[in-house]
Amino acid sequence: MPRFSIIVPCFKVQGFLRECLDSVLEQSYRDLEVIAVDDRSPDGCGAILDEYAARDDRVRVLHLPENVGLGRARNAGLPHASGDYLFFLDSDDTLTPGALRAMADRLDEAAGPEVLVFDYARTYWWGGTRRNALAHVLAECGDAPFTAAEHPEILDLLMVVWNKVYRRDFVEDNGFRFPPGYYEDTPWTFPVMLSARRIATLDRICLNYRQRRQGNILSTTSRKHFDVHDQYERVFAFVDSRPELADWRPYLHRKMGEHCLDILAKPDRLPPSDRREFFRRTAELFARHRPAGEPVPAGLRVLRGPYAAYAARRQGARAGREIARRAAQARGAAAGRVRRGVGAVQARRPLDPRLVVYSAFSHRGVLGDPGAVYRKAREIAPQLRGVWVVRDEETAARLPEGVEHVLLDSPAYRRVTARAGFFVNNVNWPGSLVKRPGSVHIHTHQGTPLKYMAADLLDRPGARFGVDVPQMLRRADRWDHSLVANPYSELVWERAYPCHFASARTGSPRNDVLVGAGAQAGPRARARLGIPADHTVVLYAPTRREYVRGGHVDRIDLARFAADLGEGHTLVVRLHPSLAAGHARGTGLSDLHRRGVVVDATDVPDVEEVMLASDVLVTDYSALMFDYAHLDRPIVVHADDWAAYAASRGTYFDITAEAPGHVSRSYRELASLMASGSWRDEESARLRAGFRERFCVYDDGLAAERVVRTLLLGEEMTGPATARVPAPAVAGDVLASR
């Protein structure tokens, strides 16, 4: 029998679930079992749970046949618990190191109390941490077990289920269970705390309470908040069934009134049309359960009057803030009118469902995933009008013939962006672009990420230097669809961009040309690049470094590398786009290209062309390797500074341990690999096969068509990557374990 049974209900938390489970299973105290309940989650939660269960026999998984909600998912786990103590852990929260050992020691010290209350810290998406403001109560309650009557201040702590552990026989003897609906913790926590004869406290932060950027389920505007009335009815019914608890009625009556008014006061909880009804039902509940002879606290007297009086009081309290807000608005009004210009007029006109606005790589032309979607739309959906946003006249002059375009921030740009039904981009749109209701934003990304992105950069000050992460996320709030090429990317994007969007398992449109490349694609690409048809072509693609100013480090002497490759070889170099205009080329690459020592392919518009022309990729940590793997050609990872790179930038996994081919740790090792031919041996093929199995999941050569048909035209399309191409996300679709 384990000491702890940790029940973890899971629903739409795939981006946080691994972190949660790791925080439990990596505890130094190992006498535990995890009962993970997949509440019919539509994302990858179920598969993640099965993966953990397969490798750790302390994990058991329940897959519910239908979604039942948080409370009943916890109930489903209860019959399977065999531990001395129950711990209900929400699947987006984490335990702190050493938490279970500290709990176990305190339980022994307190001789097995029925409830142990511990501390927590709120952890924010931007990296901040704030301890529970009432943590002092835990210390002030003393070392000896007590009842709630002896220390009623214990009930002033956050009345939730997850900051406590419960002796299992105490729960079973009293028949405690969670009800359906919102606020399900209320009719559990009050009965438990009032019934317990021996409560103990632990003045230690044992849990990190994740504060999601987009809020939790209780921040969702919905009539479900009316559930709070039924939950307090259950609390009062419990007290009525236990005469010894009658003295608690005044306290619970006050708590109920304060709780309901707090919900009513929050702007993101109730639809405006339902606020009057919520107030009325709260007032009725307050009157019905008012203890005889008890005075009404001053702050709750508003519940004895009409809704109009309450609303007037709230309006008066907001008056000062409103005056300040309007003053700020007035200061920005003139600038706003200038910015809106023609766009304000256009915004009054209906959206054009056939107008698709594209951009790629900060408005640099018809490139990447957006370019592939655009070309496929022209082929199979000519009724759609595609317009590209480009940054300047020079870029516009390089566009292919027949491509309609507008210049960034021009009157034409404001006209098309005000009326477009669809937006397709692999970089965030400018902050000045206002997303109109009904428009659909499709974000394609720029590849499968190895290095930390967006919100994950918050604890990497060097990597995010000059990057405004909050602004980046505000712009990402406009996304409706996020394209993913594999399950791994889906988890990363949902973690790195804590916003409201739906992950579309379409594959990467730009990789269609790689997946479907025929035997002649390579020779044709070589001819266009001026590379001899019979040469072995080595593509070298280094990425940027955050630990040096400018991002460039000469990891390899290119002239020496080209010479060591020998006759019959061509070395092609493709720099990271952020290095294209820097000193990386001026310190040698441009001259080597001029002299024919190497081919500098940095400026070739379509990187797919460069990949098709090559026989092998040598890279350090460039995301290009994930795309190149679709060609099923050898890849060598040159990782001579992996430790410095991973420490400065942050990476989602160790590419040297899960590489797509051989790894070299020095130039000598790299040269030996290339000279011996080991770069294309059986071991290289084996490693590449495993890499492809993980990262090439959804790409079948039909990604661009899938995006056009399912997301732009709203059609059905079968195929291996159509497991989940959902409707646009709205705030109410994103649920959390709260």
Side-chain angles (χ1 to χ4, degrees):
M1 177 185 298
R3 187 64 157 157
F4 296 104
S5 290
I6 303 177
I7 298 175
V8 186
C10 305
F11 185 77
K12 287 188 175 180
V13 288
Q14 63 176 7
F16 310 113
L17 184 53
R18 292 180 187 277
E19 186 179 1
C20 171
L21 295 174
D22 289 344
S23 78
V24 174
L25 299 175
E26 293 174 4
Q27 290 279 312
S28 59
Y29 188 88
R30 300 183 59 80
D31 189 14
L32 61 94
E33 64 178 0
V34 174
I35 300 166
V37 184
D38 172 17
D39 190 16
R40 194 66 176 178
S41 186
D43 57 8
C45 285
I48 293 172
L49 295 178
D50 290 339
E51 172 193 329
Y52 275 76
R55 68 174 189 240
D56 194 320
D57 59 10
R58 294 175 297 168
V59 180
R60 284 185 289 166
V61 181
L62 304 179
H63 294 283
L64 301 186
E66 61 180 357
N67 176 248
V68 298
L70 178 57
R72 285 183 287 183
R74 289 171 177 160
N75 291 341
L78 278 172
H80 301 272
S82 60
D84 297 329
Y85 282 85
L86 301 171
F87 183 4
F88 299 98
L89 177 63
D90 285 351
S91 48
D92 56 350
D93 294 337
T94 57
L95 297 185
T96 60
L100 292 183
R101 167 60 66 186
M103 292 182 199
D105 290 347
R106 180 68 179 118
L107 291 170
D108 290 342
E109 181 184 51
E114 294 157 327
V115 180
L116 174 68
V117 185
F118 52 82
D119 199 15
Y120 64 91
R122 297 175 187 266
T123 57
Y124 296 86
W125 64 269
W126 41 267
T129 301
R130 180 165 62 87
R131 189 177 186 181
N132 169 24
L134 296 177
H136 61 87
V137 171
L138 298 171
E140 292 168 357
C141 286
D143 293 334
F146 57 89
T147 65
E150 292 168 334
H151 284 286
E153 63 272 21
I154 195 67
L155 300 181
D156 291 332
L157 296 175
L158 190 62
M159 292 299 284
V160 291
V161 67
W162 43 258
N163 63 350
K164 308 168 184 72
V165 295
Y166 314 86
R167 208 171 68 206
R168 182 166 60 88
D169 60 1
F170 165 67
V171 171
E172 292 176 347
D173 291 346
N174 284 273
F176 294 128
R177 290 295 184 272
F178 293 93
Y182 281 18
Y183 306 100
E184 75 291 330
D185 284 6
T186 298
W188 167 282
T189 310
F190 279 119
V192 164
M193 295 297 285
L194 298 183
S195 301
R197 308 311 304 163
R198 302 183 73 251
I199 301 171
T201 60
L202 174 60
D203 184 17
R204 183 190 192 279
I205 295 175
C206 295
L207 181 140
N208 290 317
Y209 174 28
R210 187 185 301 275
Q211 305 297 289
R212 294 200 191 186
R213 177 174 174 271
Q214 295 286 6
N216 55 50
I217 191 171
L218 294 185
S219 297
T220 303
T221 303
S222 167
R223 280 188 60 87
K224 289 290 289 180
H225 294 283
F226 281 79
D227 289 353
V228 72
H229 300 127
D230 291 337
Q231 307 297 24
Y232 274 101
E233 288 284 16
R234 293 183 173 99
V235 173
F236 287 118
F238 179 84
V239 171
D240 288 343
S241 71
R242 305 284 182 99
E244 69 274 16
L245 300 179
D247 290 345
W248 284 103
R249 286 187 64 87
Y251 172 86
L252 294 172
H253 182 253
R254 175 173 59 83
K255 280 290 186 183
M256 179 270 293
E258 292 172 348
H259 193 175
C260 292
L261 285 180
D262 181 64
I263 294 170
L264 187 60
K266 286 183 165 57
D268 59 353
R269 301 296 170 91
L270 294 159
S273 60
D274 293 326
R275 298 175 66 81
R276 182 183 297 272
E277 180 186 353
F278 186 90
F279 178 87
R280 177 181 58 78
R281 289 181 56 178
T282 298
E284 291 172 353
L285 184 68
F286 189 76
R288 183 162 60 253
H289 291 286
R290 180 186 172 190
E294 286 291 329
V296 177
L300 299 178
R301 290 173 189 165
V302 67
L303 288 171
R304 302 180 67 180
Y307 176 74
Y310 165 81
R313 179 180 175 183
R314 291 286 303 170
Q315 183 65 29
R318 288 194 298 264
R321 295 192 299 271
E322 182 66 13
I323 291 172
R325 186 184 68 83
R326 289 182 178 180
Q329 283 182 331
R331 287 192 296 270
R337 284 192 294 271
V338 171
R339 286 194 304 269
R340 289 191 295 271
V342 176
V345 176
Q346 294 293 326
R348 291 195 290 270
R349 300 176 62 188
L351 293 175
D352 184 348
R354 296 184 299 174
L355 176 57
V356 186
V357 174
Y358 296 89
S359 181
F361 299 107
S362 300
H363 322 299
R364 291 198 292 115
V366 184
L367 303 168
D369 288 308
V373 173
Y374 169 76
R375 288 188 288 269
K376 183 58 65 173
R378 293 190 70 174
E379 174 189 338
I380 66 175
Q383 69 272 28
L384 297 177
R385 175 192 172 197
V387 179
W388 280 84
V389 177
V390 294
R391 57 186 179 182
D392 51 35
E393 291 285 4
E394 182 180 351
T395 305
R398 294 195 298 267
L399 292 175
E401 185 177 353
V403 174
E404 185 178 357
H405 69 277
V406 295
L407 297 183
L408 181 66
D409 288 332
S410 66
Y413 165 82
R414 288 189 283 273
R415 283 195 295 270
V416 298
T417 56
R419 298 202 58 208
F422 296 93
F423 292 80
V424 182
N425 201 346
N426 65 0
V427 178
N428 267 327
W429 292 97
S432 58
L433 192 155
V434 177
K435 185 179 191 295
R436 290 184 61 186
S439 64
V440 175
H441 283 236
I442 299 169
H443 193 76
T444 71
H445 302 285
Q446 296 182 34
T448 295
L450 170 64
K451 59 190 178 184
Y452 277 5
M453 305 293 287
D456 289 328
L457 292 174
L458 288 168
D459 63 350
R460 290 290 193 278
R464 65 178 169 84
F465 179 75
V467 177
D468 187 339
V469 173
Q471 181 188 64
M472 180 186 298
L473 297 182
R474 285 193 296 272
R475 294 178 178 183
D477 284 335
R478 295 173 294 197
W479 301 353
D480 294 289
H481 299 287
S482 164
L483 304 193
V484 295
N486 46 65
Y488 157 84
S489 292
E490 185 172 344
L491 294 177
V492 169
W493 297 136
E494 292 187 10
R495 164 181 159 165
Y497 291 95
C499 307
H500 290 310
F501 57 79
S503 294
R505 297 172 180 173
T506 58
S508 296
R510 70 184 182 283
N511 286 335
D512 288 349
V513 66
L514 303 180
V515 176
Q520 296 305 309
R524 286 196 297 266
R526 292 185 182 200
R528 287 189 289 269
L529 293 174
I531 299 173
D534 59 344
H535 273 207
T536 297
V537 180
V538 179
L539 170 59
Y540 176 52
T543 193
R544 66 175 289 114
R545 266 69 172 172
E546 270 70 26
Y547 62 82
V548 294
R549 187 182 301 276
H552 174 67
V553 180
D554 288 316
R555 308 307 309 175
I556 292 177
D557 181 333
L558 296 178
R560 178 184 178 185
F561 190 28
D564 287 345
L565 288 174
E567 293 294 329
H569 291 75
T570 295
L571 177 60
V572 177
V573 180
R574 174 83 177 194
L575 295 179
H576 187 277
S578 67
L579 304 175
H583 71 280
R585 301 173 86 176
T587 55
L589 179 56
S590 296
D591 182 59
L592 292 175
H593 175 77
R594 179 185 60 81
R595 293 192 286 119
V597 177
V598 304
V599 174
D600 179 7
T602 303
D603 289 336
V604 175
D606 295 309
V607 67
E608 295 79 19
E609 182 97 337
V610 182
M611 289 190 278
L612 286 169
S614 66
D615 293 296
V616 55
L617 170 67
V618 177
T619 185
D620 34 40
Y621 325 114
S622 171
L624 192 71
M625 73 179 84
F626 297 98
D627 300 328
Y628 196 85
H630 290 89
L631 291 172
D632 200 15
R633 299 176 188 175
I635 301 172
V636 175
V637 176
H638 185 56
D640 64 338
D641 66 339
W642 169 248
Y645 181 86
S648 59
R649 176 66 195 225
T651 61
Y652 292 109
F653 67 95
D654 184 351
I655 192 62
T656 66
E658 302 176 66
H662 288 293
V663 177
S664 58
R665 302 282 186 172
S666 66
Y667 178 75
R668 177 177 294 181
E669 289 184 12
L670 174 62
S672 176
L673 273 171
M674 303 308 295
S676 66
S678 300
W679 56 272
R680 53 184 170 190
D681 62 11
E682 291 184 1
E683 177 66 6
S684 171
R686 184 189 68 80
L687 292 169
R688 186 167 68 254
F691 193 82
R692 282 166 52 83
E693 183 177 353
R694 182 179 180 189
F695 297 111
C696 299
V697 180
Y698 300 146
D699 281 304
D700 57 358
L702 299 174
E705 181 177 354
R706 189 168 291 111
V707 173
V708 173
R709 293 197 185 280
T710 62
L711 301 185
L712 298 183
L713 300 178
E715 299 176 357
E716 294 291 333
M717 181 175 173
T718 59
T722 56
R724 184 162 74 116
V725 182
V730 296
D733 290 337
V734 181
L735 305 181
S737 300
R738 293 285 178 267

